[in-house]
């Protein structure tokens, strides 16, 4: 029987017949055999794409195929230990099952079968081998950035931003120091998070990396580490300011620098607009080699010089230093201020202030004495004779000295000037009276009536004798003052 089909199915028996002497002989029927017709289906093959783990939310496909001539059957895809079962009729010898946006409920082993109906009868293939669908949450490597870029000033704030490209939002970002204990976490409802590092110091220096962690269907998944960024801390110190003042006004700014009068005080002030705590200012002098250091108070320091001396000559400048985390940083040196010590003019001015009034006083004394001498030398002869006749020469000399003593004892420039004017007026009146009426004076004087021509010559001789001592007396009196005037 060629190409048996279901019509050939049944029980079959054999008999044997022969002719002997024209006699027909037949044997009994043999035992029966049954011919059963069936459709033999091989075990299907199964494959999955992508191979291996399938990312949560992505699509997966499982393909079943069979090698048979009975086409047009149905492929069955079923989960080994689950309720998942899908069928697909195919006119070819294969069928592909697509699983869209896989999740953890799709995880498991899958097998295929092939089923076909022939002559109103159904035939099914054995189960194929199994393939396992594993679902995972594949998180990409996060990106990381830092602000400000590059070095961060000590005490300032810095920020590091982590971001990731994924559909699994609501996870946690982790920022950690590569070689330190720093570790911070931040949950974000978006795909990025920013970590602020306040008032950075040298302990914050180092490399930083990000990770992203998410929980899906009670399972945690974590991304690979991001690239690293390096946080470097620096202490940039700007150039300080330097100023010079003199509290008692002994400072004059000249073309060559600051001119300070010797003996006066002056003060250097160093200041800086810095936010670093503490620090020290150093005042450096190139002339004397002086280096004076003081702590900064309210970001400034004052260096006092109570008495300016020539040893303080030189160029002065300031430097600011600060120590942070056992590391010392220094600023650049300020512009120099040249200090020039000048000799004080105050003693000279004081001497002039004392000498000038004394000179004026002595000049007034000399003028008064000269005027009085001139006045006495211009007195008329008759007046002297009358005084001599009445008093005598000795009495006149004594009174003259007494008058001179009164002059020295009661000397006052203002009174002297007034007396000189009164005396000059009185002398002029006497001279006018003596010379305008000489005859009347002779008639009234009893001494003059008895005089003869010889007596007149004797009187003239007496006048000469009296006058000569008077001149010598005058010279002696005023010679002392002339010596004073000459020695002044």
């Amino acid at each position: 029987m060629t190409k048996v089909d279901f019509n050939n199915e049944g029980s079959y028996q054999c008999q044997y017949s022969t002719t002997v002497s024209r006699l027909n002989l037949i044997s009994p029927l043999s035992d029966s055999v049954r011919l059963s017709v069936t459709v033999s289906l091989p075990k299907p093959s199964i494959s999955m794409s992508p191979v291996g783990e399938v990312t949560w939310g992505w699509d997966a496909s499982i393909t079943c195929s069979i090698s048979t001539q009975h086409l047009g059957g149905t492929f069955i895809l079923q989960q080994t230990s689950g309720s998942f079962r899908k069928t697909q009729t195919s006119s070819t010898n294969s069928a592909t099952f697509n699983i869209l946006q896989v999740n953890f409920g799709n995880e498991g082993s899958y097998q295929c079968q092939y089923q076909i109906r022939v002559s109103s009868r159904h035939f099914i293939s054995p189960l194929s081998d199994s393939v396992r669908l594993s679902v995972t949450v594949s998180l990409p490597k996060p990106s990381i950035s830092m602000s400000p870029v590059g070095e961060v000033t000590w005490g300032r704030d810095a920020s590091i931003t982590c971001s990731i490209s994924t559909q699994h939002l609501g996870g946690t970002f982790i920022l950690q120091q590569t070689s330190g204990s720093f570790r911070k976490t931040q949950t974000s409802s978006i795909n990025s998070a920013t970590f602020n590092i306040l008032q950075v110091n040298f302990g914050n220096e180092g490399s930083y990396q990000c990770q992203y962690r998410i929980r899906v269907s009670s399972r945690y998944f974590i991304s690979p580490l991001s690239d690293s960024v390096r946080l470097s801390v620096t202490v940039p110190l700007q150039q300080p300011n330097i100023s010079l003042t003199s509290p008692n006004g002994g400072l004059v700014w000249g073309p060559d620098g600051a001119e300070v009068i010797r003996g006066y005080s002056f003060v250097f002030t160093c200041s800086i607009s810095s936010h670093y705590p503490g620090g020290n200012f150093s005042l450096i002098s190139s002339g004397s080699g002086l280096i004076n250091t003081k702590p900064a108070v309210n970001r400034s320091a004052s260096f006092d010089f109570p008495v300016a001396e020539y040893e303080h000559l030189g160029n002065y400048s300031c430097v600011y230093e600060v120590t942070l985390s056992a590391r010392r940083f220094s600023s650049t040196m300020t512009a120099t201020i040249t200090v020039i010590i000048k000799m004080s003019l105050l003693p000279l001015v004081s001497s002039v202030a004392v000498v000038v009034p004394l000179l004026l006083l002595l000049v007034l004394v000399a003028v008064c004495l000269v005027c009085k001498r001139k006045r006495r030398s211009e007195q008329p002869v008759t007046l002297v004779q009358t005084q001599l006749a009445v008093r005598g020469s000795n009495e006149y000399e004594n009174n003259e000295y007494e008058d001179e003593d009164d002059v020295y004892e009661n000397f006052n420039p203002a009174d002297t000037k007034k007396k000189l004017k009164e005396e000059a007026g009185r002398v002029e009146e006497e001279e006018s009276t003596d010379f305008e009426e000489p005859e009347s004076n002779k008639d009234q004087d009893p001494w003059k009536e008895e005089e003869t021509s010889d007596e007149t010559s004797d009187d003239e001789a007496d006048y000469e004798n009296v006058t000569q001592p008077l001149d010598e007396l005058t010279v002696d009196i005023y010679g002392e003052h002339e010596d004073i005037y000459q020695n002044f």
Side-chain angles (χ1 to χ4, degrees):
M1 291 181 287
T2 61
K3 297 183 181 181
V4 295
D5 56 25
F6 291 110
N7 294 326
N8 300 119
E9 278 190 324
S11 295
Y12 289 84
Q13 290 178 309
C14 291
Q15 278 186 322
Y16 182 71
S17 65
T18 186
T19 299
V20 177
S21 299
R22 297 183 181 183
L23 290 173
N24 290 326
L25 299 173
I26 188 167
S27 69
L29 288 169
S30 67
D31 295 332
S32 61
V33 294
R34 180 150 183 91
L35 175 63
S36 297
V37 179
T38 186
V39 176
S40 179
L41 298 174
K43 184 172 67 173
S45 61
I46 187 171
S47 62
M48 187 179 69
S49 178
V51 179
E53 292 183 335
V54 181
T55 301
W56 190 95
W58 288 16
D59 297 339
S61 62
I62 298 177
T63 299
C64 299
S65 61
I66 192 169
S67 177
T68 181
Q69 58 181 341
H70 303 286
L71 303 179
T74 301
F75 287 93
I76 303 165
L77 178 65
Q78 60 184 12
Q79 198 172 14
T80 303
S81 58
S83 59
F84 180 89
R85 179 184 174 89
K86 279 188 176 182
T87 61
Q88 184 175 331
T89 300
S90 175
S91 58
T92 63
N93 64 341
S94 66
T96 299
F97 296 87
N98 293 316
I99 305 174
L100 304 178
Q101 297 181 346
V102 298
N103 54 48
F104 294 110
N106 301 123
E107 277 192 322
S109 296
Y110 289 82
Q111 289 179 301
C112 287
Q113 275 188 312
Y114 182 68
Q115 178 181 318
I116 191 168
R117 182 177 182 181
V118 180
S119 299
S120 302
R121 296 172 64 184
H122 290 279
F123 298 91
I124 190 166
S125 71
L127 288 169
S128 68
D129 295 332
S130 61
V131 292
R132 181 164 183 80
L133 190 156
S134 297
V135 179
T136 184
V137 175
S138 180
L139 298 174
K141 183 171 69 174
S143 60
I144 187 171
S145 61
M146 188 177 70
S147 178
V149 178
E151 293 181 334
V152 182
T153 302
W154 190 96
R156 298 288 180 87
D157 298 339
S159 62
I160 298 177
T161 299
C162 302
S163 59
I164 191 169
S165 177
T166 181
Q167 57 183 339
H168 303 288
L169 303 179
T172 300
F173 287 94
I174 303 167
L175 178 66
Q176 60 186 13
Q177 201 170 13
T178 304
S179 58
S181 59
F182 181 91
R183 179 185 173 90
K184 282 187 176 182
T185 61
Q186 184 174 329
T187 301
S188 176
S189 59
I190 57 177
N191 64 341
S192 66
T194 298
F195 296 87
N196 294 316
I197 304 175
L198 305 179
Q199 298 180 345
V200 298
N201 53 51
F202 294 110
N204 301 123
E205 278 192 321
S207 297
Y208 291 82
Q209 289 178 297
C210 288
Q211 272 189 310
Y212 182 70
R213 185 178 64 185
I214 187 75
R215 181 179 182 182
V216 180
S217 300
S218 301
R219 296 170 63 182
Y220 286 98
F221 298 88
I222 192 165
S223 72
L225 286 169
S226 68
D227 295 333
S228 62
V229 293
R230 180 163 184 79
L231 191 154
S232 299
V233 180
T234 184
V235 179
L237 296 176
Q238 68 271 31
Q239 189 182 57
N241 298 317
I242 185 172
S243 61
L244 176 61
T245 57
S246 178
N248 48 9
L251 172 65
V252 176
W253 290 96
D256 297 328
E259 299 177 356
V260 180
I261 300 175
R262 183 172 177 265
Y264 282 71
S265 65
F266 62 98
V267 180
F268 277 103
T269 301
C270 303
S271 61
I272 192 171
S273 56
S274 170
H275 63 278
Y276 304 109
N280 296 316
F281 283 101
S282 294
L283 181 67
I284 302 172
S285 173
S286 61
S288 62
L290 171 70
I291 299 178
N292 193 359
T293 301
K294 283 189 176 183
V297 179
N298 295 327
R299 298 186 297 227
S300 66
S302 296
F303 299 87
D304 298 331
F305 294 80
V307 179
E309 296 292 346
Y310 292 116
E311 63 189 29
H312 297 146
L313 286 168
N315 298 322
Y316 291 82
S317 58
C318 288
V319 172
Y320 179 70
E321 292 182 340
V322 63
T323 301
L324 302 171
S325 301
R327 295 169 65 179
R328 175 169 291 187
F329 298 88
S330 298
S331 70
T332 58
M333 192 175 294
T334 63
T336 59
I337 294 180
T338 301
V339 173
I340 303 169
I341 305 301
K342 293 288 187 177
M343 182 177 179
S344 177
L345 298 177
L346 183 59
L348 181 59
V349 173
S350 300
S351 299
V352 172
V354 173
V355 170
V356 168
L358 183 59
L359 284 174
L360 292 176
L361 180 60
L362 293 176
V363 168
L364 288 175
V365 171
V367 168
C368 292
L369 295 176
V370 170
C371 290
K372 189 167 185 179
R373 178 181 179 184
K374 181 178 180 181
R375 178 179 61 80
R376 292 189 179 277
S377 64
E378 292 178 351
Q379 286 183 354
V381 175
T382 55
L383 179 61
V384 175
Q385 289 176 342
T386 303
Q387 292 174 346
L388 290 175
V390 175
R391 294 183 176 179
S393 60
N394 292 332
E395 184 179 359
Y396 175 82
E397 290 176 359
N398 293 332
N399 291 335
E400 186 69 23
Y401 281 108
E402 291 175 0
D403 292 340
E404 292 295 325
D405 293 336
D406 294 338
V407 172
Y408 286 112
E409 291 175 358
N410 299 324
F411 175 76
N412 185 304
D415 296 337
T416 302
K417 185 175 180 181
K418 182 177 179 181
K419 289 179 179 181
L420 287 175
K421 289 182 179 180
E422 293 176 354
E423 187 70 19
R426 187 179 62 79
V427 169
E428 289 178 358
E429 290 178 358
E430 290 178 353
E431 290 177 351
S432 176
T433 305
D434 292 339
F435 287 97
E436 286 179 1
E437 297 178 355
E439 297 297 332
S440 60
N441 289 337
K442 289 181 180 181
D443 295 338
Q444 294 176 1
D445 193 350
W447 292 92
K448 298 300 179 179
E449 292 178 354
E450 296 178 358
E451 290 178 354
T452 61
S453 59
D454 294 334
E455 292 176 348
T456 303
S457 61
D458 293 336
D459 291 337
E460 290 177 357
D462 293 338
Y463 173 77
E464 290 177 357
N465 294 331
V466 173
T467 305
Q468 185 64 29
L470 180 62
D471 292 339
E472 292 177 354
L473 180 61
T474 304
V475 172
D476 293 337
I477 293 173
Y478 290 98
E480 181 181 357
H481 296 286
E482 287 176 353
D483 292 339
I484 296 174
Y485 178 76
Q486 290 174 357
N487 294 328
F488 170 72

